[in-house]
Amino acid sequence: MGVVPLDEINALRAMEGYEQMLEIDRLTRVYQTDEASIRSALSSGPGQSPPPSTPAPAWDNSHKTSPLPPPAAPSHVGPTMVNKQEFRYEYDPSREAAERREQINQAILCSACGVALGIPDIRPIKVTCPACLFEATYTE
């Protein structure tokens, strides 16, 4: 077994992480020594202390939200009516969309996600929200 020169050990001290691991591997092959002896020489050099290791930060999940959709509201809850004049439904210029817009008499907010939905005043009506796919049947 060979002895690793001090300049190689000092160069090794300047490295960290993966680079240090690769250099230790190279030195074990060049000087025919084992990794434990290189690491002991690295930590017990003259006047040198081993490089400080920083602990991994603890994960803080307090600000995260769940990726799951909000819990479904019960279907017996009545719709939240809003003024339909506040919303613009003319984003689809097709003739079929114009005919559907003529049937819209009310605007409600989805019980699950709060998206505005234009609906006719036919009751009972089964509404499926296009944003969250929540289904509700309104009888009011």
Side-chain angles (χ1 to χ4, degrees):
M1 283 204 175
V3 177
V4 180
L6 189 57
D7 61 329
E8 294 274 11
I9 296 293
N10 287 335
L12 194 58
R13 282 190 184 109
M15 298 177 194
E16 60 183 28
Y18 188 67
E19 290 179 346
Q20 189 180 50
M21 184 186 74
L22 289 176
E23 186 63 18
I24 289 173
D25 184 53
R26 184 188 71 82
L27 292 176
T28 57
R29 285 181 275 129
V30 169
Y31 294 104
Q32 300 296 317
T33 186
D34 61 341
E35 182 180 343
S37 63
I38 293 176
R39 290 208 182 264
S40 67
L42 184 64
S43 64
S44 65
Q48 297 289 332
S49 63
S53 62
T54 57
W59 292 101
D60 179 21
N61 291 335
S62 62
H63 65 283
K64 303 271 183 182
T65 59
S66 174
L68 299 175
S75 62
H76 67 276
V77 175
T80 303
M81 298 293 198
V82 291
N83 184 2
K84 81 171 198 160
Q85 303 305 324
E86 294 178 14
F87 303 103
R88 190 182 75 159
Y89 295 104
E90 287 80 27
Y91 53 85
D92 186 358
S94 68
R95 182 176 169 191
E96 294 84 19
E99 290 172 0
R100 285 192 308 263
R101 278 194 299 272
E102 290 174 5
Q103 296 175 358
I104 295 175
N105 297 326
Q106 297 174 334
I108 62 170
L109 296 179
C110 175
S111 301
C113 68
V115 170
L117 305 170
I119 61 170
D121 55 0
I122 301 168
R123 296 294 187 269
I125 186 168
K126 181 178 178 181
V127 178
T128 302
C129 177
C132 68
L133 300 178
F134 176 74
E135 286 188 7
T137 302
Y138 298 112
T139 57
E140 298 174 10

